[in-house]
Amino acid sequence: LAIAAACQGKPAVVKEETKPTTQAAPLLFDLTSLQREANGKFGYSAKTTLQIAQSLYERHKALTYPRTDSRALPEDYIDTVKASMEMLAASHLKHLAPHAKTALQKAYVKPNKRIFNNAKVSDHFAIVPTNQEPVGLSEAEQKIYDLVTRRFLSVFFPSAQYAVTTRISTVEQHAFKTEGKVLIEAGWLAIYGKEAANELDDKEKDDGAKSQTLVAVAAGERPVAAPVETKGLRTRPPARYSEATLLGAMEGAGKWIEDDELREAMQEKGLGTPATRAAIIEGLLQEKYMLREGREMIPTAKAFQLMTLLRGLEVVELSKPALTGEWEFKLAQIEQGKLSRESFMQEIAAM
């Protein structure tokens, strides 16, 4: 309050620094990131997204195999990508065809370790459109196809370029920081139109960034701090999980493990696999351990009873991601010949 009173109606000395910054397009989709995006955008459950992607793969032959945990393509896939681009450029998909034409004309499809990388491909590669133009899609199928295809196109486009201005306004020895961001070159954002720019702004709000449009201040000008107010805020508990954030937590469950070796063992695994995470969530809903209210996942009394029971029986390991990490670590040791299968199974039997 004292600072607000001291600054009220006083002139400010303004210093600014502007720096260029870039933002690359997000990586291609694996199943989990596609499920998260579809849940956040359309409210689709993980199970629904998997069913739609499976239909686009099996029935329409329009997408590649969806049950994947890779977000890269094989290094020998460049010609196939060009064929898919050519199909899109010649297709009836008016909102996507011009961008595919641009990518072909400007030769955007070329070797790039961020996209084409054998080391980052496991059993299956990222989900991308095939060179088969889809016909007769349902509304939901069209939405998922568009989601995948826009991401596929955008990953080849140049980064978006911004100018970020940091302004320090000093009033009566009190310094206040404001940041402003201006889009200079749209790059891959052109594929999404204004929609993506708005999404990025929303994401920044979520991340606590306070980027805004700054009113220009001429050199030597001393603007007056006219309205000065204090705001009393309170901390808020973390938001409940939505299916999108729960999928993210399952994928990155290793982050909660303190032991470095176990965390390393779980780094590529998480809880479940891309193919089973939707079924795990549906199983918890079916068994009434969770309820789906709107987009929120809410634990039930039954879930709390289970946790109390596990603590009472002293088998609390079953509720910790560390158990999965430990098993992954030991399976890797068996693979390397450092541990026998028999002793691993004995430990499990004993537990």
Side-chain angles (χ1 to χ4, degrees), residues 91-100 142 145-147 149-150 153 190-192:
S91 74
H92 69 285
L93 303 164
K94 292 189 175 72
H95 58 302
L96 300 172
H99 303 300
Q142 189 67 54
Y145 183 77
D146 278 9
L147 216 54
T149 307
R150 282 182 198 271
L153 289 167
I191 292 164
Y192 293 85

Side-chain angles (χ1 to χ4, degrees), residues 85-204:
M85 284 283 187
E86 282 160 9
M87 177 279 290
L88 289 167
S91 74
H92 69 285
L93 303 164
K94 292 189 175 72
H95 58 302
L96 300 172
H99 303 300
K101 283 176 190 160
T102 302
L104 290 168
Q105 284 162 4
K106 299 195 174 178
Y108 285 158
V109 182
K110 53 188 178 232
N112 176 339
K113 280 288 184 187
R114 187 169 183 258
I115 307 165
F116 302 101
N117 191 335
N118 290 344
K120 291 187 176 175
V121 173
S122 53
D123 297 342
H124 305 282
F125 48 79
I127 306 170
V128 292
T130 63
N131 56 11
Q132 178 92 27
E133 184 177 348
V135 179
L137 299 184
S138 68
E139 186 190 346
E141 286 171 338
Q142 189 67 54
K143 281 180 175 176
I144 296 296
Y145 183 77
D146 278 9
L147 216 54
V148 172
T149 307
R150 282 182 198 271
R151 179 68 66 95
F152 167 73
L153 289 167
S154 68
V155 83
F156 295 102
F157 270 61
S159 296
Q161 294 178 27
Y162 292 93
V164 176
T165 300
T166 304
R167 175 182 290 176
I168 305 293
S169 307
T170 308
V171 188
E172 297 290 297
Q173 280 76 53
H174 300 293
F176 302 93
K177 179 181 172 184
T178 357
E179 285 191 341
K181 195 173 182 182
V182 178
L183 183 63
I184 304 297
E185 193 67 52
W188 64 273
L189 288 175
I191 292 164
Y192 293 85
K194 283 192 171 179
E195 181 192 341
N198 294 342
E199 274 174 24
L200 292 175
D201 292 345
D202 291 343
K203 186 178 186 306
E204 283 169 0

